[in-house]
Amino acid sequence: MTPAPTPAYRRLSVEERRSQLLTAALTLFAHRAPEDVSLDDVAEAAGVSRPLVYRYFPGGKQQLYEAALRSAAEELQHCFDEPLEGALLPRLSRALDRYLSFVDGHDTGFSALLQGGSVVETSRTTAIVDGVRRAAAEHIYRHLGVTDPGPRLRMTVRTWITAVEAASLIWLDEDKQPPVQELRDWLVEQFVAVLTVTAARDPQTAAVVGALADDGRD
Amino acid sequence: MTPAPTPAYRRLSVEERRSQLLTAALTLFAHRAPEDVSLDDVAEAAGVSRPLVYRYFPGGKQQLYEAALRSAAEELQHCFDEPLEGALLPRLSRALDRYLSFVDGHDTGFSALLQGGSVVETSRTTAIVDGVRRAAAEHIYRHLGVTDPGPRLRMTVRTWITAVEAASLIWLDEDKQPPVQELRDWLVEQFVAVLTVTAARDPQTAAVVGALADDGRD
């Protein structure tokens, strides 16, 4: 048997090569601030030459960063895939488990991206992040069984999503303390608490909170 | 009596001139996105020539934006000045009233700044905004009578501050609905609710929540 070819010399299709470069870039951007990743680093991590990276990403680091970000955003959106069955809060817990494990696995990149002021942050990268936030909100409305969320419910859900992001960043900043399960339970309880506050002023949210309570009794 | 000289021809001291330019810039940046404000606009609004603006801000628009931002950050921090006396939640309400009136008065600039991806956003502008967030957290700990906040209380307070920012942006985005007094009450109630969730796991936060409850009974 001949030994398997090393990655550098394997013949890859255009799609495979692109995906290999993206994976290498994503791993680097995940654990270093974007300004600390060079195209040479990406070429080295993928075992290819720098000109090859440029052939796939003629826009250089900015283009590669945005492509990596788009691929991370897709991965992140998969965290929200949760069947519309069973009690609601356990569904939310499972989605948060996946989200927090994403945060854990992309720590530095996640912080750099969300903390802003990065050299490669542009209105396009901001739009990608906003797309993920919007998708998260849509998932939540669907799970809550709400098709036309009013302004008070929307503000509550969107504010909670930002609170989840903020808590994730603080968690990374505090050496991933408290333990991730405690953070997840805390976020779920925060969700119920903030909905309950809104419910006092908004019949739509009150119905949602009522459904959550009934759910817990099943 | 001779008529008052027009602003363009009044002799101002260096400090007065600088402050006049900053005020003009701040007004423009408050109601337009930074990319839509030119140095010519600032010169025109201040009734001076463009070279004069450059003499005071040789770094051009970026320097002027950062100086305007620093001056807005100072103004914003004054919102938090609240005597350490009387019941706690009314103190928080008064600080939020001032904060929300700042948001109302700087709507576009406030959104542009916090939403990121702006052409003039840099690690320096991000640091200025983070400074305001830190100051807000320190004010809250002081009012709560906590000198050494533990990680769970810190996470709760910092997350709530981000939630306030997010709610402000959504409020601007939703044509300033619901009415500002409702938003302010909702934010105060959210504060108590999120602290109460944390209190179940953290004795320090439980003591704070206990003090808030006693306070309400005075």
Side-chain angles (χ1 to χ4, degrees), chain B residues 29-154:
Chain B
F29 285 127
H31 300 294
R32 289 193 221 160
E35 50 271 37
D36 298 332
V37 177
S38 70
L39 277 193
D40 281 328
D41 295 332
V42 176
E44 193 188 323
V48 302
S49 67
R50 187 188 158 96
L52 185 79
V53 179
Y54 263 110
R55 202 179 320 147
Y56 279 79
F57 298 97
K61 184 161 121 176
Q62 184 64 35
Q63 192 192 1
L64 186 56
Y65 180 67
E66 287 180 21
L69 184 55
R70 240 174 250 117
S71 122
E74 268 170 42
E75 195 186 321
L76 188 47
Q77 297 205 22
H78 284 308
C79 300
F80 311 146
D81 291 341
E82 177 65 37
L84 295 169
E85 50 198 37
L88 276 162
L89 296 181
R91 290 187 221 166
L92 184 59
S93 288
R94 286 189 294 268
L96 280 171
D97 276 336
R98 288 189 292 266
Y99 165 80
L100 290 170
S101 127
F102 178 93
V103 171
D104 193 14
H106 295 78
D107 37 27
T108 311
F110 186 83
S111 298
L113 177 66
L114 292 185
Q115 272 165 346
S118 149
V119 284
V120 287
E121 194 198 18
T122 63
S123 55
R124 276 198 303 279
T125 61
T126 307
I128 296 171
V129 177
D130 278 341
V132 175
R133 290 183 182 128
R134 248 195 319 277
E138 294 302 326
H139 274 272
I140 291 174
Y141 301 140
R142 200 167 326 127
H143 281 276
L144 294 177
V146 173
T147 46
D148 190 19
R152 288 169 181 79
L153 180 57
R154 283 205 306 273

Side-chain angles (χ1 to χ4, degrees), chain A residues 63-194:
Chain A
Q63 192 191 1
L64 185 57
Y65 181 67
E66 286 180 22
L69 184 55
R70 239 174 249 118
S71 124
E74 268 170 42
E75 195 187 322
L76 189 47
Q77 297 205 22
H78 284 307
C79 299
F80 312 145
D81 291 340
E82 176 65 37
L84 294 169
E85 50 199 37
L88 276 162
L89 295 181
R91 291 187 219 165
L92 184 59
S93 288
R94 286 189 294 268
L96 279 171
D97 276 335
R98 289 188 292 266
Y99 164 79
L100 290 170
S101 129
F102 178 94
V103 172
D104 193 15
H106 296 78
D107 37 28
T108 311
F110 186 84
S111 298
L113 177 67
L114 292 185
Q115 272 164 345
S118 150
V119 285
V120 288
E121 196 197 17
T122 63
S123 55
R124 276 198 303 280
T125 60
T126 306
I128 296 171
V129 176
D130 279 342
V132 175
R133 291 182 182 128
R134 249 194 319 277
E138 294 303 326
H139 273 272
I140 290 173
Y141 302 140
R142 200 167 327 126
H143 281 277
L144 295 177
V146 173
T147 46
D148 190 18
R152 287 171 181 79
L153 180 57
R154 282 206 307 274
M155 185 178 278
T156 310
V157 168
R158 292 175 62 189
T159 300
W160 178 78
I161 289 170
T162 314
V164 171
E165 276 177 37
S168 313
L169 289 174
I170 295 166
W171 182 70
L172 290 176
D173 204 41
E174 299 259 2
D175 294 323
K176 306 190 179 174
Q177 284 303 318
V180 70
Q181 295 82 354
E182 179 182 332
L183 177 61
R184 179 247 288 145
D185 290 343
W186 182 79
L187 290 170
V188 171
E189 290 167 31
Q190 296 277 348
F191 183 67
V192 177
V194 296

